[in-house]
Amino acid sequence: MPTATAVDTHLRELHRDNGSALLHYLRRLTPPGSACTAEDLLQETMLRAWRSLDRMPPGPEPQRRWLFTVARRLAIDAYRRRQRLPVEVEVVEPELTPAADSAAEVAVASLTLRRAIGELGPAHRAVLRELYVEGHSAEEAAALLGVPVGTVKSRAHYAVLHLRNALAGS
């Protein structure tokens, strides 16, 4: 069993001989600003080397290949972890006090909506009432109105499109 001094010396030599090349390699594998930096991956690579000194191949060149393989695998694992995590977004507090002209905007939108609903034919208004006011499904609305389900869906689509266009133009 190697002494602590021998292990320490061996790790220092590994880091001295391979550290800068590994760091350069890892910087190319990690995007700038990522949570897992190249320095962190280098540190983890050297920690794995310390834990696996007894299994590390003899000789400088096989050890270098082993270190680069470990570093590459750690970078791939870090990349996969980033892909699994949801994208972080900044939460912005909504404005608690309404804008001064919001009452006027609500009034204009309400009048525009009433006018647009009045422009709809009775069949389209009936579909909207059954779906959005009464809360029936398309199948239930079709049975109540005595029309096919496809007709209900079509009328709802065109009625909502008309209302959306009316509100967008206000």
Side-chain angles (χ1 to χ4, degrees), residues 27-108:
R27 281 189 176 139
R28 291 184 311 178
L29 295 178
T30 55
S34 68
C36 193
T37 64
E39 290 83 5
D40 293 338
L41 292 173
L42 174 61
Q43 185 176 12
E44 182 64 26
T45 302
M46 297 312 290
L47 180 63
R48 301 259 175 112
W50 173 68
R51 289 180 180 159
S52 304
L53 271 178
D54 57 334
R55 293 184 307 247
M56 192 175 286
E61 196 55 38
Q63 288 177 356
R64 184 178 181 91
R65 283 194 303 268
W66 185 90
L67 288 169
F68 273 83
T69 300
V70 169
R72 181 176 50 83
R73 289 179 180 164
L74 288 170
I76 290 169
D77 290 345
Y79 172 79
R80 288 178 178 158
R81 264 192 310 279
R82 281 192 310 274
Q83 298 306 312
R84 280 195 316 254
L85 296 176
V87 176
E88 293 183 20
V89 293
E90 183 179 337
V91 176
V92 179
E93 291 294 323
E95 190 176 314
L96 298 177
T97 57
D101 59 347
S102 68
E105 289 175 7
V106 169
V108 168

Side-chain angles (χ1 to χ4, degrees), residues 111-129:
L111 288 173
T112 303
L113 187 60
R114 286 177 189 258
R115 181 184 48 83
I117 290 173
E119 292 172 352
L120 291 173
H124 287 85
R125 278 196 305 266
V127 167
L128 288 181
R129 183 184 64 249

